[in-house]
């Protein structure tokens, strides 16, 4: 089972690649249905890079298995309202349905 840990500088390319792979089926299907290029790859790239800036990256976690990033989750906690939210989350397609997403969500909720 993977372990969940904070994002570190060396994770950037792996996290971006994972997100692009995980979101490709839905985004490509939508593009085919609409008959247009939605530019989703560039948009996801910008968003993922925005999450790795100082002040943001503290809420970005990765699931790692055998040295490879297999999942990513971003979250926010508002201590004043005692509420939180989960932002982007993705699991590598080869690991989907194997408990990685649940592991990341349990970690964030704790």
């Amino acid at each position: 089972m993977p372990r969940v840990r904070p994002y570190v500088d060396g994770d950037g390319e792996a996290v971006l690649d994972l997100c692009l792979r995980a979101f490709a089926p839905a985004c490509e299907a939508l593009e085919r249905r609409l008959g247009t290029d939605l530019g989703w790859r560039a948009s996801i790239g910008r968003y993922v890079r925005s999450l790795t800036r100082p002040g943001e990256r503290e809420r970005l976690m990765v699931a790692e298995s055998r040295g490879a990033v297999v999942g990513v989750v971003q979250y926010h906690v508002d201590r004043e309202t005692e509420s939180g939210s989960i932002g982007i989350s993705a699991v590598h397609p080869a690991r989907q349905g194997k408990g990685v997403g649940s592991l990341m969500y349990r970690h964030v909720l704790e």
Side-chain angles (χ1 to χ4, degrees), residues 6-107:
Y7 171 92
V8 296
D9 284 336
D11 294 331
E13 290 302 314
V15 166
L16 178 56
D17 180 63
L18 180 145
C19 289
L20 292 173
R21 289 175 187 259
F23 298 134
C27 292
E28 289 171 353
L30 183 59
E31 283 181 330
R32 281 191 303 276
R33 182 161 176 91
L34 297 175
T36 187
D37 180 357
L38 298 173
W40 64 271
R41 288 172 187 83
S43 181
I44 287 174
R46 284 188 301 274
Y47 183 65
V48 168
R49 281 189 292 282
S50 78
L51 297 176
T52 64
R53 290 189 301 241
E56 294 294 323
R57 65 188 303 148
E58 291 78 17
R59 296 181 304 272
L60 188 61
M61 308 297 286
V62 298
E64 179 182 61
S65 180
R66 296 184 179 132
V69 174
V70 297
V72 61
V73 64
Q74 183 267 337
Y75 67 96
H76 174 74
V77 175
D78 185 329
R79 303 226 184 267
E80 284 184 30
T81 63
E82 296 181 355
S83 64
S85 61
I86 293 177
I88 196 170
S89 65
V91 175
H92 191 283
R95 299 300 298 263
Q96 291 175 0
K98 298 181 179 170
V100 177
S102 296
L103 174 73
M104 292 187 308
Y105 274 49
R106 276 193 306 276
H107 181 85

